[in-house]
Amino acid sequence: MNAIQRQRLVLVGLLVAGVTVAITLVLFALSENINHYYSPAQMAAGEAPAGQRIRGGGVVVEGSVQRAADGLTVFFDITDGAATVPMEFTGLLPDLFREGQGVVGTGHLNEAGRFVAEELLARHDENYTPTEVQRALDEAESQEALQ
């Protein structure tokens, strides 16, 4: 191997190492921002990891909304038809938040099985249901039809 070949080999090695480091950094950054969606049935079945940031949603159960004494914390239940999970949110509720409407939250599942949302999104019109919520509702409905 002459000097020019050795120089090219070092350059190729540095290029491969640089690309590997760049890809590793991108994948690491993406993994911190990926929030997997879990339906209430999956949360109730223990499929959702406790304490890890996740997204979850469903339809707000009628008559389940309760406010804490501080006025900012709201407790309610969400369902996909197959299971119901208690949910907690502290902050200003979206204007379109109502019982019987679909919501999607980002937060974590605590040890007691309550989904503590840090962000809460409500559906924006009567014809729209978040994709994940609609899919969970459809799956729960199809499982009921099979039984």
Side-chain angles (χ1 to χ4, degrees):
M1 181 178 292
N2 64 27
I4 292 176
Q5 289 175 330
R6 200 173 306 137
Q7 217 173 19
R8 286 182 183 162
L9 185 63
V10 169
L11 285 175
V12 170
L14 289 175
L15 183 66
V16 169
V19 169
T20 302
V21 168
I23 290 173
T24 302
L25 290 174
V26 167
L27 291 176
F28 182 72
L30 286 175
S31 69
E32 288 186 353
N33 292 324
I34 294 174
N35 300 318
H36 294 284
Y37 177 83
Y38 292 94
S39 68
Q42 290 173 312
M43 287 187 232
E47 295 177 25
Q52 194 172 17
R53 188 173 168 90
I54 60 172
R55 289 186 333 130
V59 176
V60 178
V61 175
E62 301 268 347
S64 68
V65 178
Q66 298 176 349
R67 290 191 177 271
D70 65 3
L72 287 177
T73 304
V74 179
F75 302 97
F76 54 95
D77 296 334
I78 57 171
T79 185
D80 60 356
T84 301
V85 173
M87 193 167 180
E88 173 184 340
F89 175 72
T90 301
L92 297 175
L93 288 172
D95 290 339
L96 299 174
F97 177 86
R98 290 181 187 83
E99 293 178 351
Q101 300 281 332
V103 294
V104 174
T106 303
H108 66 277
L109 201 61
N110 67 14
E111 295 79 24
R114 177 181 298 273
F115 184 66
V116 180
E118 298 157 4
E119 292 178 335
L120 190 65
L121 303 172
R123 68 187 225 187
H124 54 78
D125 69 22
E126 67 271 359
N127 297 322
Y128 175 77
T129 302
T131 307
E132 297 93 349
V133 173
Q134 186 61 50
R135 188 178 315 130
L137 291 171
D138 291 343
E139 287 177 9
E141 189 173 295
S142 66
Q143 287 181 354
E144 279 184 19
L146 293 175
Q147 295 174 356

